[in-house]
Amino acid sequence: MTEHLSIAGNTIAYDVTGQGPLVVLAHGIGDSRHSYRFLAPALAAQGYRVANVDIRGCGDSSLGWDGYSRTDIAGDLVAVVRLLGGPAVIIGQSISGGAATIAAATAPDLVAGVIELAPFTRAQPFDLGGLVRVKRFRAGYIQLAQVVMRGKLKNWTKYLDLALPVKPADWDDELARIEAKLNEPGRMKALQSMCKSSPADAGAQLPNVKCPVLIVEGGADPDWADPGAEGEKIIADLPQGLGELVVIDGAGHYPHVQLPDRVVALTLPFLDRTLTRA
């Protein structure tokens, strides 16, 4: 059953399944909580209470927000944790990885740990050398640039084709669902606003994080010429000893969709270390 949290006249949609310590799932740009359709039930089956959130402007959450930055999304995630009763581990993908960083830094009493999947958590300098050398990165960059400039759904679906080098069995139905949602008035504008938002706010908060952080990068992610190097830079900006990096060979920008069993296997030991069971 979908529930809704009211924030400043807007609403955040979320589902809660399972019982136990709280885990909050936050998806990436242009997606919805359905992105975690494999991860959420697997974690609930292992004894966790899983809150699967549609971030602002996406899925069944409302449009019309004043902003779509990582700081804005972090505030929503903290509000969900506070409502449901933390502390929680936040699992955030892409833009929500950066939001999870901010949530951890600004609400340390509510966030016990963070798992970031293919996160945009640092300001991204223009990588001309990477664009020249790495075809995968160049192709993804071109499609995302077209999304930002033109707001065309076909460019987003071309990007998704690159971002998921191996598709799950239900991908045709899932892609149709994504396309239908982004065809709703205002949804593509929200996606573009998120694409244009700088990750600098999240990067500035990395030194202020006090909880453990697991960074999971896909080795075939088209968003970076070298995804592992990006993960290492995030770890380097965290306080010493808090960060851990895993690079999954062959995974793209959605490791939890492409290789959910691998992501669950990484997630469960982290949850066991960071969340206290009653």
Side-chain angles (χ1 to χ4, degrees), residues 153-176:
L153 181 57
K154 69 176 183 179
N155 294 114
W156 182 248
T157 58
K158 287 179 179 179
Y159 163 75
L160 291 178
D161 187 52
L162 296 165
L164 275 161
V166 178
K167 313 296 190 286
D170 68 348
W171 182 243
D172 288 346
D173 290 340
E174 182 65 9
L175 182 59

Side-chain angles (χ1 to χ4, degrees), residues 77-165:
L77 298 178
V78 169
V80 170
V81 175
R82 184 173 286 115
L83 174 70
L84 297 178
V89 165
I90 298 178
I91 302 178
Q93 187 251 340
S94 196
I95 192 173
S96 291
T101 292
I102 298 170
T106 57
D109 55 323
L110 294 175
V111 182
V114 170
I115 299 177
E116 303 190 18
L117 307 174
F120 275 96
T121 306
R122 300 170 54 258
Q124 302 296 306
F126 181 67
D127 185 1
L128 178 59
L131 289 171
V132 172
R133 294 191 315 272
V134 183
K135 179 180 179 181
R136 159 185 51 79
F137 176 49
R138 183 169 62 252
Y141 185 92
I142 289 170
Q143 295 306 325
L144 285 178
Q146 290 295 310
V147 170
V148 171
M149 291 186 295
R150 302 171 63 212
K152 299 295 185 180
L153 181 57
K154 69 176 183 179
N155 294 114
W156 182 248
T157 58
K158 287 179 179 179
Y159 163 75
L160 291 178
D161 187 52
L162 296 165
L164 275 161

Side-chain angles (χ1 to χ4, degrees), residues 202-222:
Q205 290 290 359
L206 282 168
N208 301 322
V209 173
K210 297 180 174 61
C211 64
V213 178
L214 172 62
I215 307 294
V216 179
E217 299 281 7
D221 193 329

Side-chain angles (χ1 to χ4, degrees), residues 12-108:
I12 294 294
Y14 64 95
D15 297 332
V16 180
T17 55
Q19 295 183 339
L22 181 63
V23 180
V24 174
L25 308 179
H27 60 82
I29 289 171
D31 213 331
S32 75
R33 64 190 189 278
H34 206 247
S35 181
Y36 288 107
R37 61 196 179 278
F38 306 126
L39 200 64
L43 298 182
Q46 292 296 321
Y48 292 97
R49 183 170 47 126
V50 181
N52 195 2
V53 177
D54 281 337
I55 65 173
R56 57 173 57 196
C58 298
D60 294 323
S61 290
S62 65
L63 291 161
W65 300 82
D66 290 337
Y68 292 95
S69 70
R70 287 154 183 78
T71 298
D72 296 324
I73 295 167
D76 301 338
L77 298 178
V78 169
V80 170
V81 175
R82 184 173 286 115
L83 174 70
L84 297 178
V89 165
I90 298 178
I91 302 178
Q93 187 251 340
S94 196
I95 192 173
S96 291
T101 292
I102 298 170
T106 57

